[in-house]
Amino acid sequence: MDSDETVEKLRGWFSGRLPEGWFEGRPEIVLDREEITVVGRLAAPAPAEGVSEIERAAAVEGGIQRFREETRERRVEIAREAEHRFRRKVSWGIAVSDETVMFTTLSVPVMTRLRQPERRVLDTLVAAGVARSRSDALAWCVRLVGAHTDTWLADLRDALQHVDRVRASGPDIGS
């Protein structure tokens, strides 16, 4: 099953399992080898007349916290079912206006081999206080690259999905 089909299956399964009214529209489903991330959109609080930006931000934060507390038990139950069924951990997040808050995320160790020039980059970030460790420095570098290459990475992911579709439609060379 290719990635598009898997995401569609997940989206359908979560749509069937999530209580109505939790989110505005369908939640965003992001999938990798270890994790399913479900990010639902909540309505932004209606701005009252004369409300400052600080008060509006506090109202958003309070609404997210209320949702998190009120839905915790049900989210855990749904996540356990999904983890058993799809063999991946489930992480939850909420989007309100232009802000996304993750409740849970999976931190997966990734092993890599780096040559001295690459290690020196990480060590410089640690020495400068940008990161606490080489591991944190590497995660910082990955976030920085991701932030500055969103379009390129999106194009690359689209191309990989196209390869999956072409491969799936090819002849079956199985035994």
Side-chain angles (χ1 to χ4, degrees), residues 13-75:
W13 188 86
F14 276 98
S15 293
R17 293 298 290 130
L18 294 173
E20 281 193 39
W22 265 19
F23 305 128
E24 284 189 335
R26 296 186 315 180
E28 177 186 5
I29 305 288
V30 180
L31 175 69
D32 70 9
R33 290 185 287 186
E34 294 87 14
E35 183 176 22
I36 301 164
T37 302
V38 181
V39 179
R41 179 158 293 284
L42 296 181
E49 194 174 321
V51 171
S52 70
E53 184 58 30
I54 293 170
E55 190 173 337
R56 188 205 67 75
V60 167
E61 183 181 335
I64 291 171
Q65 189 62 35
R66 182 185 69 236
F67 178 86
R68 183 177 190 177
E69 291 168 5
E70 290 176 356
T71 63
R72 179 176 284 120
E73 193 173 304
R74 189 77 174 107
R75 283 185 296 106

Side-chain angles (χ1 to χ4, degrees), residues 143-165:
R143 284 191 301 273
L144 184 65
V145 169
H148 292 286
T149 58
D150 278 344
T151 302
W152 181 80
L153 287 173
D155 290 347
L156 185 59
R157 287 184 189 108
D158 289 344
L160 288 171
Q161 289 177 351
H162 178 71
V163 168
D164 286 343
R165 286 190 295 273

Side-chain angles (χ1 to χ4, degrees), residues 109-153:
V110 177
M111 192 64 144
T112 187
R113 297 184 187 280
L114 299 175
R115 300 195 185 284
Q116 188 180 38
E118 294 132 349
R119 293 190 311 267
R120 289 184 66 209
V121 169
L122 300 180
D123 291 342
T124 300
L125 293 171
V126 172
V130 172
R132 293 182 314 237
S133 65
R134 283 180 170 176
S135 176
D136 286 345
L138 187 55
W140 182 86
C141 291
V142 169
R143 284 191 301 273
L144 184 65
V145 169
H148 292 286
T149 58
D150 278 344
T151 302
W152 181 80
L153 287 173

